[in-house]
Amino acid sequence: MTAHAPPKPFTAGDYTTRMARALGQALHGGLDGMIVAPGPDLVWLTGYEPTAVTERLTLLILTPRLRPTLLVPTLERPDVEAVTGGGGLGIVDWADGTDPYHLVSELLKPDGQFAVSDSAWSVHLLGLQAAMPQTRYVALSRRLPMLRAVKDANELYRLSIAAVAADATYDEIVGWRFAGRREHEIATDLARLLREFGHEQVDFTVVGSGPNGADPHHEAGYRMIQPGDAVVLDFGGLMFGYGSDTTRTVSVGEPSLDLVRVHDIVRTAQQAAFEAVRPGVPCEEIDRVARAVITDAGYGERFIHRTGHGIGVTTHEPPYLVHGEDQPLEAGMCFSIEPGIYLPGRFGVRIEDIVTVTGSGGERLNNTARDLRVVG
Ligand code: ZN
Ligand code: ZN
Ligand code: ZN
């Protein structure tokens, strides 16, 4: 793997722009603002991620009435200042023994409607509702699903080097022995390699051998991998705060004719879906294209999930490539294309790349070979 320069840090200006965009979208959507608890939205908007998410209320408030304001427990104020470094962000702290919900009620429109981040704990949302009985709330991901969907150049760079690291992990693991080892041992290897190649966090290492491959999210277990198995390898995590997620299906020893055939169908579907990517095409069209290839080959019933999901500061987020999602693709969006065929009791095949939308088409961030690789 060629070494890649670390990304430039995000600037206070980047966060100011994101917070302004978020508030603008909320107001445009008829809301009075946005409240954001610790989690991916807060990281994306401010760069701040508390070391531990606790019962103490931490909340970013975006309303037209005041500059972006982060409400934090007094004891965590130094952590916040160290990360956000002032910028356009106001910080209000609250001390143990005082009522933070009351403090919030003094900042928000008493009968306003607000988007609230998905990661807000119910205890906090209930506390806000009790303190401000006239306020109403909608889920941020429901009302503003595309808030984080279009990536800027720095975000794209992070996603691309995360993909390079995932590709390096795959290129390494296929040279190692599979037969006679247990799924969880391969999973451990994948996690270690992802970290070696630069990931700070590993989110999943699916190793589905033989019949276990027919379960798309199979948790790697104690099954001993055998010659003749198909093995689905699906792994990813975060590198410089941005996600990787790739899947390849390998054959342990010479593949059966059925495996060769099914793998070829999935690869054709994945390629067709990739070629359909360009700005303006609705998300569901990418799903339709992949599904048509698999359905025409007679396996439509065995493709049991959507074709893909967005990726950014998390490994699963909007946009979703699924029937019914008419959101048009825009340049800068990043998502997986991951059709699969799952044959219960026998094997599964899935092929997944992260793809970004360019001005005229799509570009894969994962670039390992997609042919059926034979491993030892
Ligand atoms: Zn998944
Ligand atoms: Zn995956
Ligand atoms: Zn995925």
Side-chain angles (χ1 to χ4, degrees):
M1 170 190 171
T2 45
H4 288 260
K8 289 193 189 71
F10 293 119
T11 64
D14 291 328
Y15 294 122
T16 303
T17 303
R18 291 176 190 176
M19 289 189 288
R21 195 206 299 176
L23 178 58
Q25 287 189 15
L27 299 179
H28 185 74
L31 302 171
D32 296 294
M34 185 182 291
I35 55 182
V36 183
D41 292 309
L42 187 66
V43 169
W44 185 79
L45 287 164
T46 68
Y48 179 58
E49 187 170 24
T51 33
V53 181
T54 71
E55 76 293 346
R56 288 191 175 103
L57 184 68
T58 295
L59 214 57
L60 173 69
I61 297 170
L62 301 176
T63 83
R65 304 178 136 201
L66 68 167
R67 68 172 171 149
T69 298
L70 191 58
L71 188 81
V72 296
T74 302
L75 78 168
E76 288 169 13
R77 184 174 183 123
D79 306 331
V80 179
E81 285 174 339
V83 172
T84 60
L89 194 62
I91 301 172
V92 172
D93 59 285
W94 64 273
D96 286 349
T98 66
D99 179 357
Y101 306 112
H102 178 74
L103 199 50
V104 176
S105 75
E106 295 181 326
L107 301 174
L108 294 182
K109 190 172 168 219
D111 60 350
Q113 191 182 11
F114 303 94
V116 58
S117 60
D118 295 19
S119 59
W121 286 11
S122 53
V123 65
H124 297 315
L125 187 54
L126 291 167
L128 293 172
Q129 286 176 320
M132 299 171 286
Q134 310 292 325
T135 50
R136 285 162 300 147
Y137 302 91
V138 293
L140 203 163
S141 70
R142 281 296 168 109
R143 191 57 86 83
L144 303 170
M146 299 303 152
L147 178 62
R148 295 190 267 115
V150 173
K151 273 65 185 179
D152 67 24
N154 191 330
E155 294 182 289
L156 279 175
Y157 180 67
R158 291 172 194 238
L159 287 162
S160 66
I161 57 178
V164 167
D167 285 357
T169 295
Y170 176 73
D171 282 335
E172 183 80 26
I173 200 90
V174 291
W176 297 4
R177 184 139 197 94
F178 280 65
R181 298 180 68 216
R182 296 185 192 276
E183 289 176 344
H184 71 88
E185 296 176 63
I186 304 287
T188 304
D189 289 343
L190 287 169
R192 196 178 62 247
L193 286 166
L194 282 170
R195 288 184 191 281
E196 259 174 40
F197 290 121
H199 280 55
E200 69 267 9
Q201 180 178 316
V202 176
D203 285 2
F204 47 87
T205 49
V206 171
V207 180
S209 69
N212 290 341
D215 168 8
H217 274 176
H218 172 70
E219 189 75 38
Y222 284 89
R223 186 176 180 280
M224 186 80 81
I225 297 169
Q226 294 156 21
D229 279 350
V231 185
V232 178
L233 304 169
D234 183 353
F235 48 93
L238 297 183
M239 180 158 156
F240 296 110
Y242 280 74
S244 68
D245 185 4
T246 187
T247 307
R248 293 291 184 264
T249 303
V250 299
S251 174
V252 183
E254 284 310 306
S256 69
L257 287 177
D258 267 0
L259 175 55
V260 169
R261 201 174 97 77
V262 168
H263 189 276
D264 202 52
I265 295 163
V266 173
R267 190 175 49 166
T268 304
Q270 209 259 5
Q271 178 68 24
F274 168 68
E275 288 173 6
V277 172
R278 64 182 178 281
V281 171
C283 287
E284 65 178 353
E285 174 65 7
I286 309 305
D287 181 77
R288 193 197 63 75
V289 167
R291 206 163 295 281
V293 172
I294 290 175
T295 301
D296 288 351
Y299 290 97
E301 303 278 284
R302 310 283 14 125
F303 178 15
I304 54 176
H305 54 72
R306 65 191 175 208
T307 293
H309 54 83
I311 189 166
V313 294
T314 75
T315 45
H316 271 173
E317 62 186 44
Y320 296 108
L321 307 183
V322 65
H323 178 69
E325 177 54 86
D326 56 9
Q327 167 71 38
L329 297 181
E330 290 176 45
M333 283 182 173
C334 286
F335 44 79
S336 69
I337 295 182
E338 50 177 310
I341 293 177
Y342 307 93
L343 305 177
R346 298 179 61 204
F347 62 85
V349 173
R350 181 167 64 260
I351 300 174
E352 172 180 27
D353 292 319
I354 301 303
V355 170
T356 183
V357 185
T358 67
S360 57
E363 185 183 321
R364 292 182 204 268
L365 302 188
N366 294 107
N367 289 291
T368 55
R370 281 172 294 279
D371 51 353
L372 180 57
R373 175 74 182 247
V374 174
V375 298

